Amino acid sequence: MRSMPRARRLAASVALAASTLGLVTFGTAAPAQAAAVCGGDVSIYGTLADGRLTYTAISPNTGDRVKTLIGPALGFTPKAMATLNFNTVLVTSTSGALYRVDVQTNNTSLGLAGVTKIWDGGWTFDKMTYDGAGHLYGTVAGQLHRYNVSQAKPAGPEHIAQHVVIDEGFVLKTLAAAGDDVLVATTTDGKLVSYQINGVGDWERSDLKASGWTAVDSLVSPGGGLYYGRTNGGLYWYHDADPTDGKGDDIAYHPTDPVDASGWTQTLLSAFAGDCTYQAPSTPPSDSTEGGTITRSEVIGRALNWLSRDVPYSQSTTATDPEGAHRYRTDCSGFVSMAWHANESYNTGSLPSVSAVINKSDLQPGDALNTQSGHVVLFEKWVDKAAGKFSYIHESNPNDDMMRGQDYLDGGNDGSIAGHAASGYVALRYDKIVNG
């Protein structure tokens, strides 16, 4: 285990502030480059104490609430919920059943196409969230569970399968998904934390804020580094300029310009984690040629291109590089070959023929960690060099494809990096790489 996507007001019990919200911008803690790229308004579903469903749309750039709608009662007492997409929500009941809620419209009214029980019992999670990339998470008794969801509207166990227990020790006050296998949460002692989940027993926790989040009783994220937290009935919004760095010093707060200062009385809240994505700062145009000299910044830029495209993993197919001028095999070593702009797709056995072994403590952006047992990752940057913690990018496996992760040089408590023994990795520096 590691410590590592218009304006209507609600009435009655969810009467939200009637005053018009002013235009706000990202706070000074965020850099000029906005990281969150959203396809439209942020979608947040919720449930009221009487079991009715609610829907709220929020402008991601300003934090202004666009509309809130109240729908019909679900017909059971909700316990936990997770939003699969803009019109499909999974909700558990206090009796342990799992329901699929199909939304017919959330334009000027909130109407349902149906509420279908898809699982009779066993769903006892106290919190549940969906990462927008096929993975459903839930916590119960401190355990973190994960399922793979294979359909946009799952009908039951055949579409919600491959259940695993990630690990123990996940005693959390709130839980939300911020992206593909990335979770954010708050603890009872006021910490804001994030988790990168790589597999069973293989995860990293990062403490984004050491305190100040005690009053947050519900947390949701549409992805892209946007977080929404409810405090004393008000909904506040936050923006993490780089949600991949495991740090919270670049999170912008908007305490004087909340989404709403009061009125958020829903018993459950859930956002669609696929509304927004993180877009890394733009990289310089390509200056390298195939097999020629390449700068470290260009290597990382090429790697981020495949990451943003989520190029599917395969040992037998190829994909184009950012310029579309060359194709590389889409496995772990083919990815590194592409990032280095090498003249062919090397494998883990032949990568050393175009690189030199270096000390792991000397790793710089664009270097690699390679193990001839079958895997290689591209070193992205140090997260905490003194502790040996770093960020990497890799073609992971046929189930997860392109991924970004964080780990320790010694592999942390389980001694592994990306599922392979940390001790078997050798640090490599491409022969043609230069600083810049």
Side-chain angles (χ1 to χ4, degrees):
M1 181 176 69
R2 303 197 175 96
S3 40
M4 329 256 236
R6 267 179 172 197
R8 190 176 213 174
R9 306 292 183 188
L10 271 179
S13 62
V14 279
L16 295 172
S19 60
T20 302
L21 298 174
L23 180 69
V24 297
T25 59
F26 292 145
T28 56
Q33 300 152 321
V37 178
C38 306
D41 294 328
V42 170
S43 298
I44 298 179
Y45 284 98
T47 58
L48 301 176
D50 60 7
R52 287 181 295 170
L53 190 72
T54 69
Y55 171 78
T56 300
I58 299 172
S59 170
N61 294 321
T62 66
D64 290 345
R65 181 170 53 85
V66 178
K67 63 184 174 184
T68 301
L69 308 170
I70 303 177
L74 296 176
F76 59 89
T77 303
K79 183 177 181 181
M81 71 187 302
T83 302
L84 294 188
N85 47 65
F86 71 99
N87 64 0
T88 311
V89 184
L90 294 180
V91 187
T92 65
S93 70
T94 52
S95 64
L98 178 65
Y99 293 82
R100 189 189 73 230
V101 179
D102 297 319
V103 177
Q104 187 171 41
T105 180
N106 56 21
N107 185 13
T108 58
S109 63
L110 180 56
L112 304 183
V115 177
T116 306
K117 182 191 289 186
I118 62 175
W119 217 299
D120 284 326
W123 287 78
T124 58
F125 298 124
D126 47 60
K127 287 172 281 292
M128 198 163 65
T129 188
Y130 179 69
D131 72 353
H135 309 125
L136 178 68
Y137 287 92
T139 57
V140 60
Q143 291 183 333
L144 179 66
H145 296 241
R146 186 176 74 177
Y147 297 80
N148 283 7
V149 181
S150 60
Q151 298 291 326
K153 292 191 177 296
E158 66 272 30
H159 300 146
I160 304 177
Q162 300 182 38
H163 169 232
V164 296
V165 178
I166 297 298
D167 217 333
E168 309 275 350
F170 288 81
V171 181
L172 304 169
K173 185 175 182 181
T174 67
L175 178 68
D180 188 359
D181 284 322
V182 177
L183 307 178
V184 290
T186 60
T187 61
T188 53
D189 59 353
K191 291 184 177 68
L192 176 68
V193 300
S194 70
Y195 297 92
Q196 170 69 54
I197 309 300
N198 301 317
V200 176
D202 187 2
W203 52 274
E204 301 93 36
R205 167 174 160 165
S206 298
D207 288 5
L208 303 180
K209 294 293 181 181
S211 62
W213 290 69
T214 306
V216 175
D217 60 18
S218 187
L219 181 69
V220 298
S221 174
L226 283 171
Y227 312 135
Y228 297 85
R230 183 176 63 187
T231 299
N232 299 322
L235 192 70
Y236 294 80
W237 64 294
Y238 314 85
H239 176 239
D240 191 341
D242 184 354
T244 70
D245 62 3
K247 300 179 181 179
D249 54 4
D250 56 351
I251 296 178
Y253 287 61
H254 308 280
T256 61
D257 284 294
V259 177
D260 289 293
S262 63
W264 285 76
T265 61
Q266 291 93 331
T267 56
L268 298 173
L269 291 172
S270 174
F272 171 38
D275 270 339
C276 306
T277 58
Y278 169 70
Q279 179 173 287
S282 59
T283 57
S286 173
D287 292 323
S288 67
T289 59
E290 184 185 330
T293 300
I294 187 169
T295 62
R296 296 186 180 280
S297 61
E298 188 180 342
V299 170
I300 298 302
R302 291 171 66 86
L304 292 174
N305 176 268
W306 270 31
L307 181 65
S308 66
R309 288 159 58 186
D310 198 18
V311 174
Y313 181 99
S314 174
Q315 294 182 344
S316 59
T317 62
T318 62
T320 58
D321 63 2
E323 293 77 35
H326 190 66
R327 301 187 69 90
Y328 293 87
R329 194 178 59 250
T330 59
D331 58 9
C332 63
S333 50
F335 159 68
V336 171
S337 301
M338 182 282 302
W340 286 352
H341 209 168
N343 54 12
E344 63 178 86
S345 295
Y346 293 96
N347 56 43
T348 54
S350 59
L351 278 172
S353 68
V354 291
S355 58
V357 176
I358 61 171
N359 291 325
K360 291 180 181 177
S361 60
D362 293 331
L363 282 163
Q364 296 183 53
D367 293 335
L369 282 166
N370 180 62
T371 172
Q372 293 194 19
S373 66
H375 199 57
V376 62
V377 303
L378 188 76
F379 183 89
E380 183 182 18
K381 59 187 175 183
W382 290 106
V383 175
D384 184 344
K385 188 172 183 179
K389 188 177 182 180
F390 65 98
S391 172
Y392 61 93
I393 306 170
H394 65 144
E395 270 282 11
S396 55
N397 56 63
N399 292 323
D400 295 316
D401 303 321
M402 287 297 305
M403 289 190 71
R404 174 189 248 142
Q406 291 183 12
D407 225 309
Y408 292 88
L409 287 178
D410 65 2
N413 289 346
D414 71 353
S416 69
I417 298 173
H420 295 257
S423 60
Y425 280 94
V426 173
L428 298 179
R429 179 162 294 162
Y430 182 44
D431 291 340
K432 301 295 183 67
I433 199 167
V434 297
N435 292 332

